[in-house]
Amino acid sequence: MQTTTGMMAAAQPSKYRRQADAGLSRMEIMEGAALCFEERGFAATSLDHVAARIRSTKGRIYHHYGSKAELFLDVFRAGMMMNFAAIEPILAADMPAIDRLKALVKAHVLSVIRTKPFQNVVWEGVDMLRQGAMRDREHDELTDLARLRDDYAVHFQEVLDRAREAGDIRYRTVKIALNTLFMCMNGPIIWFTPRDGQGEDEIEAIADECVLYAMRLLNYAGDLP
């Protein structure tokens, strides 16, 4: 299975690339931090935990980040960039709306599975925003990141509307349909646990099954994996 670092190095599209690329060392810090935040949550994680995870020192972390909150926000941002990278080729492809929808759902599920620690941070960050759990400056940046998440969801909403117009799916309220779809697609954040030796075929099968359930929720009656 492709590593998180490999995905970022190979697949990050220019449209969503950050203004400055700080290189592999920054990404290694984010990977270690994502694992720590996933295991402990933001409040219980310290930069000492992150330094121990990457077998380095806090000084190396402080060279890139001024605080734990700044690091958390960068991990959140990276998690969203990974999702955008996963779906952008599908958005650019010429295909019927229903096929685009199925492809988008699978791409998102695969991104969640392959970058699960980062997606946990996105999940926690949205919850922290609701609770007002960060100081004003960090809260403002978290709000901006949540808008990025909203922009991501718009791509799904647009294809939902087109697929419904084509008569392939049925729903009454697009907001409810969209939220239900994301609950299904983000399910692996909660229940998926990677295993040693788990092959790509098994990951693909899990994603296909998630597509099946998601499309059935939208009253799709056509062919599915």
Side-chain angles (χ1 to χ4, degrees), residues 59 67 76-77 124 139 150 155 209 224:
S67 67
F76 186 126
R77 183 181 297 104
E124 184 179 8
H139 181 86
D150 292 340
H155 293 302
E209 191 163 358
L224 284 166

Side-chain angles (χ1 to χ4, degrees), residues 23-203:
L24 181 61
S25 61
R26 192 179 185 101
M27 189 63 203
E28 286 175 333
I29 294 169
M30 285 195 289
E31 287 180 332
L35 289 167
C36 290
F37 291 134
E38 180 181 39
E39 291 175 358
R40 300 170 178 271
F42 175 79
T45 296
S46 69
L47 292 184
D48 286 315
H49 292 132
V50 179
R53 169 73 68 170
I54 63 175
R55 299 181 181 178
S56 185
T57 65
K58 281 199 297 185
R60 180 185 174 194
I61 298 173
Y62 278 121
H63 178 73
H64 295 280
Y65 297 101
S67 67
K68 179 180 73 169
E70 185 180 336
L71 175 54
F72 180 88
L73 292 168
D74 215 24
V75 174
F76 186 126
R77 183 181 297 104
M80 286 307 308
M81 295 306 101
M82 292 168 185
N83 289 338
F84 275 116
I87 70 168
E88 189 171 30
I90 300 165
L91 298 176
D94 183 15
M95 62 178 74
I98 192 63
D99 293 337
R100 190 186 309 279
L101 178 58
K102 287 185 281 187
L104 286 174
V105 172
K106 183 171 180 177
H108 180 85
V109 172
L110 287 172
S111 182
V112 167
I113 290 173
R114 290 167 174 161
T115 67
K116 184 171 173 278
F118 285 82
Q119 304 311 321
N120 262 287
V121 169
V122 173
W123 188 285
E124 184 179 8
V126 171
D127 191 51
M128 290 170 65
L129 181 62
R130 295 192 188 103
Q131 297 177 16
M134 279 192 168
R135 293 177 299 181
D136 289 345
R137 184 175 65 83
E138 288 87 0
H139 181 86
D140 289 344
E141 186 168 355
L142 193 58
T143 300
D144 289 339
L145 290 173
R147 292 193 187 103
L148 184 64
R149 187 170 176 264
D150 292 340
D151 291 342
Y152 179 78
V154 166
H155 293 302
F156 287 81
Q157 180 176 328
E158 289 174 349
V159 76
L160 277 176
D161 285 340
R162 293 193 186 110
R164 183 174 68 167
E165 289 169 4
D168 293 313
I169 58 175
R170 299 193 314 275
Y171 56 82
R172 292 183 181 178
T173 307
V174 68
K175 184 176 181 180
I176 294 174
L178 186 64
N179 287 335
T180 302
L181 181 65
F182 269 95
M183 286 177 64
C184 182
M185 293 191 301
N186 288 328
I189 294 175
I190 298 171
W191 51 256
F192 176 78
T193 302
R195 301 193 316 274
D196 291 339
Q198 192 168 39
E200 187 64 21
D201 288 347
E202 187 174 351
I203 298 298

